[in-house]
Amino acid sequence: MDPRKDSLAQWWGRMTSRWASVSRSLEEYYARPYRQALARERRDEDDFFTLVVLGEALGVPDPAAYYSAELLPYLFEDFHSWHRRMGMPRSPLDHMSCC
């Protein structure tokens, strides 16, 4: 094995590791002040998505109900926390009782 190739591979590995460390540090520095706002915005978007998918079950006409019905199984585990955040003490759906 050529020693130059081995040292070049080691150098490349160190540089890759250092670059990853710098990248993580910069991401942390710039994202820290906005982390809570970004988490709140993501939760709001998830709540809106849940409302759109469950719209047909809630009585809102949905032209894409055929496609959104495929997404219902993915929403079951978060359904209870969603309807509580929306201010509904009990499940608004007759066929889905979680409380």
Side-chain angles (χ1 to χ4, degrees):
M1 195 176 238
D2 188 10
R4 290 183 303 188
K5 287 184 180 179
D6 191 37
S7 66
L8 182 62
Q10 289 175 352
W11 176 83
W12 185 256
R14 284 192 311 268
M15 295 311 287
T16 303
S17 174
R18 288 179 184 163
W19 178 253
S21 175
V22 167
S23 177
R24 282 191 305 271
S25 298
L26 286 174
E27 182 178 346
E28 180 67 25
Y29 175 77
Y30 286 111
R32 182 181 301 153
Y34 307 107
R35 186 170 289 130
Q36 185 177 12
L38 291 172
R40 187 179 317 116
E41 186 62 32
R42 179 182 172 110
R43 188 185 68 227
D44 290 347
E45 285 181 6
D46 288 345
D47 289 344
F48 179 69
F49 176 74
T50 303
L51 180 66
V52 168
V53 171
L54 294 174
E56 186 72 23
L58 293 171
V60 178
D62 183 11
Y66 175 77
Y67 301 107
S68 61
E70 295 177 4
L71 300 172
L72 284 174
Y74 298 106
L75 299 176
F76 286 141
E77 64 186 50
D78 297 327
F79 180 73
H80 179 70
S81 61
W82 172 78
H83 81 75
R84 300 291 287 188
R85 272 196 314 273
M86 295 295 112
M88 300 175 221
R90 300 195 144 282
S91 172
L93 306 176
D94 295 334
H95 61 281
M96 280 181 60
S97 62
C98 61
C99 345

